[in-house]
């Protein structure tokens, strides 16, 4: 009921009468009053005027299960939300939930992570209320070797959502970062659990961290990291951002499931690739090499044109892009 | 101290004096007496005679952390044992321990599983004291695409350990069963967790269930399942079996790490393949076909000679063997 009332308040221009809410949900006035108090405690500013009813005066950047659920319009991805005010990491929690049988599409969100990880396992210090930290649990039926494309789908969806809500250009640094004005604004960490005899996926978790309303970064990363607030000058509603990412992700994912390759988003993905036609350095376990990035192929590998070996396809790993993050 | 005292008692022909134990461990007679009482409570029959000391009269088929640890002679695999008298499944517990940072080689053992799974997720009812249910946690540094060979290594090691302790012929049904006299005696379930961007393994868990001292099976599987006791007529010490499997597994694993392929055990593995040169039916997602199994190749795929398509390599999935488990 809380989620529905919140949606009604947000979508209404004027006041909604208590009587109307009572009839709609078949509850007493006291019950409606209780829900309004809960919402006020969570930070919503609600105006209540006798004989007129309730009105949402201001929507602060609140995160809660109801707030997120009231924004989500998808059929499947994010329909079930598990919210933590504070947790170690949404990836860790998502893995536990997945092992315990969480349904496909369950979304884990935290207002703050205490042990959120960046690439190479670096712990990332967060302040409450400044980031979107979320992990989507997927239980796909395709073969495990297709799963690495989910990182690319996630990056594409997040890029689309950011561009829609902020008007900024959000480019993809293959495979798992989003870059705004040459600085990193989003990191994605995808993990998979699978059965080796059956070569089948138990679950994939897609962890997404978006630097949303961060106003300052530590000195050691301030030249390479940024936030949506810093780049756009405007605060972004995190629940709206989460819902928009889910919306874009579901569209990408549904198309992906039909072909199990990148074909449906390939052109737009490559148009958003920060390294497109630029020099990259590939840190391959067998040795480092440089070349010109020519975009990803239909199975999500980065194609790199090298002077020595012609076109090389990179499946995973570290790729630096000239002009980005200190690589000059 | 308990583990060491147990090892000394087991390896001694006669009595060990209390004085000797006190000096060895720098403890009081009361402390030694307490350990002996603990061991008695766990089921060991210990003779204590004044002026002579302690002697192990009979070794029942006890499982405990000390019992297993006192048998293990490996350097790495199984050096750390986590024991449960009863748990849902050692695979589930191993995954939790691995997520929480358990060291490479940690072995999870249960006297009884309440939700142990067979292939295709069937729950397997167990009685306490009749099975070896264990899961080994590995944190290898090789690429994820090598990991499916760990199932084959496990099967080879378990086959070797069973043959050593019982004299029975233990054949491998690729990829994850062991067959004795045409009936299934062992099942292996291997699961992996990995990072998709880095294409690196977080951990692999190798779950092994050995029908050890089971005396009867339910009617629906009695034609296809057997136990070491039923086939050999003798009870097998489960802790000795666990330690022997670890011993064989560590040897296989160390060799495997050098080449990251099957080469070091390939000949012996194929000599133990129950389907070797026999008709098999492959349940491929794209359709079913039959052929003659010609053994596994260097990367662990089963090669099947088919009338229509020549040599086909099977990577994973269900393969039925003519003459086994009702396939005639």
């Amino acid at each position: 009921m809380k989620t529905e009332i919140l949606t009604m308040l947000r979508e209404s221009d004027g006041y909604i009468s208590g009587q109307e809410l009572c009839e709609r949900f078949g509850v007493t006035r006291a019950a409606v009053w209780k829900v309004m108090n809960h919402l006020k405690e969570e930070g919503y500013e609600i105006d209540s005027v006798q004989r007129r009813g309730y009105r949402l005066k201001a929507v602060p950047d609140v995160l809660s299960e109801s707030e997120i659920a009231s924004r989500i319009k998808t059929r499947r991805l994010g329909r079930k939300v598990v919210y933590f005010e504070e947790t170690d990491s949404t990836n860790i929690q998502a893995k536990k939930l997945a092992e315990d049988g969480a349904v496909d599409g369950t979304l884990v969100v935290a207002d703050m992570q205490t042990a959120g990880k960046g690439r190479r396992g670096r712990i990332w210090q967060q302040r409450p209320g400044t980031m979107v930290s979320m992990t989507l649990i997927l239980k796909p039926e395709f073969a495990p070797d297709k799963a690495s494309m989910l990182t690319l789908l996630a990056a594409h969806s997040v890029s689309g959502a950011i561009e829609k809500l902020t008007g900024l250009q959000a480019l993809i640094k293959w495979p798992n970062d989003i870059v705004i004005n040459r600085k990193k604004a989003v990191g994605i960490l995808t993990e998979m659990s699978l059965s080796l005899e059956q070569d089948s996926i138990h679950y994939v978790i897609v962890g997404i961290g978006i630097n949303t309303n961060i106003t300052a970064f530590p000195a050691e990363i301030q030249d390479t990291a940024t936030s949506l607030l810093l780049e756009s000058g405007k605060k972004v509603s995190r629940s709206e951002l989460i819902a928009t990412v889910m919306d874009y992700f579901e569209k990408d994912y549904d198309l992906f499931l039909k072909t199990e390759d990148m074909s449906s988003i390939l052109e737009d993905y490559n148009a958003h690739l920060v390294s497109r036609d630029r020099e990259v350095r590939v840190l391959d376990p067998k040795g480092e090499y440089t070349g010109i990035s020519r975009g990803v192929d239909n199975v999500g590998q980065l194609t790199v044109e090298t002077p020595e070996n012609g076109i090389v396809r990179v499946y995973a790993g570290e790729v630096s892009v000239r002009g980005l993050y200190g690589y000059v």
Side-chain angles (χ1 to χ4, degrees), chain A:
Chain A
M1 182 168 77
K2 197 163 126 194
T3 302
E4 285 90 343
I5 288 181
L6 187 54
T7 308
M8 288 172 73
L9 285 172
R10 192 185 296 114
E11 290 175 354
S12 164
D13 292 327
Y15 285 84
I16 301 177
S17 81
Q19 188 57 35
E20 188 184 332
L21 292 169
C22 291
E23 281 164 16
R24 167 81 179 265
F25 298 103
V27 297
T28 62
R29 278 183 173 260
V32 169
W33 182 82
K34 213 170 156 188
V35 168
M36 295 301 168
N37 274 358
H38 274 163
L39 290 171
K40 284 179 193 169
E41 276 164 24
E42 286 176 5
Y44 298 93
E45 287 181 49
I46 296 170
D47 207 16
S48 59
V49 177
Q50 267 203 332
R51 289 175 210 277
R52 298 183 71 182
Y54 301 96
R55 188 177 67 93
L56 197 58
K57 260 169 60 185
V59 184
D61 187 27
V62 166
L63 275 190
S64 70
E65 212 154 299
S66 310
E67 169 65 25
I68 299 163
S70 74
R71 299 272 193 181
I72 297 251
K73 305 293 179 207
T74 44
R75 282 179 303 101
R76 197 155 48 117
L77 305 193
R79 287 306 307 171
K80 164 81 184 150
V81 173
V82 178
Y83 174 72
F84 295 93
E85 209 166 287
E86 182 179 318
T87 191
D88 42 6
S89 116
T90 54
N91 270 20
I92 292 172
Q93 294 304 323
K95 282 188 273 188
K96 286 184 179 164
L97 288 163
E99 293 287 355
D100 290 343
V103 297
D104 179 50
T106 300
L107 181 67
V108 183
V109 179
D111 189 45
M112 189 178 83
Q113 297 184 117
T114 54
K117 275 185 189 167
R119 251 185 128 169
R120 279 172 258 163
R122 285 173 297 218
I123 298 280
W124 172 245
Q125 284 300 332
Q126 298 182 10
R127 288 194 176 184
T130 61
M131 286 198 66
V132 164
S133 304
M134 61 179 171
T135 301
L136 186 65
I137 300 171
L138 296 172
K139 300 191 161 177
E141 288 179 6
F142 48 74
D145 62 356
K146 313 277 186 196
S148 63
M149 284 184 270
L150 292 174
T151 302
L152 279 56
L153 255 59
H156 183 252
S157 313
V158 174
S159 154
I162 290 174
E163 295 195 340
K164 182 184 179 191
L165 294 186
T166 67
L168 295 165
Q169 190 187 41
L171 297 177
I172 300 164
K173 180 180 171 297
W174 182 93
N176 64 331
D177 289 349
I178 302 266
V179 169
I180 300 174
N181 295 327
R182 301 196 170 205
K183 292 178 172 185
K184 175 172 169 174
V186 177
I188 296 166
L189 284 178
T190 308
E191 302 178 40
M192 173 166 65
S193 167
L194 71 157
S195 153
L196 286 171
E197 292 87 22
Q198 300 188 306
D199 194 37
S200 68
I201 297 174
H202 292 148
Y203 59 83
V204 176
I205 57 153
V206 185
I208 300 172
I210 308 177
N211 300 344
T212 313
N213 297 322
I214 297 174
T215 49
F217 287 92
E220 63 271 26
I221 57 168
Q222 67 180 8
D223 292 337
T224 55
T226 191
S227 72
L228 307 189
L229 173 58
L230 286 172
E231 297 302 323
S232 72
K234 280 182 294 194
K235 275 209 169 192
V236 175
S237 155
R238 291 179 299 153
S239 57
E240 198 181 351
L241 180 55
I242 292 166
T244 310
V245 170
M246 284 304 109
D247 198 29
Y248 277 69
F249 204 157
E250 184 161 281
K251 284 192 185 82
D252 280 1
Y253 190 57
D254 283 346
L255 290 169
F256 174 78
L257 290 179
K258 286 180 191 163
T259 58
E260 296 185 2
D261 63 27
M262 297 291 291
S263 52
S264 58
I265 62 161
L266 191 64
E267 204 182 315
D268 193 55
Y269 183 95
N270 279 328
H272 281 85
L273 203 60
V274 72
S275 66
R276 187 80 186 269
D277 298 329
R278 285 168 72 177
E279 188 187 306
V280 292
R281 184 163 54 191
V282 182
L283 300 173
D284 190 89
K286 285 170 211 143
E288 207 173 296
Y289 60 88
T290 58
I292 306 297
S293 154
R294 296 295 186 205
V296 306
D297 63 16
N298 224 10
V299 296
Q301 300 174 112
L302 188 69
T303 55
V304 178
E305 202 178 313
T306 65
E308 302 87 7
N309 300 307
I311 292 282
V312 177
R313 286 163 197 279
V314 186
Y315 172 71
E318 293 280 344
V319 174
S320 306
V321 182
R322 193 175 183 111
L324 213 58
Y325 308 173
Y327 170 36
V328 285

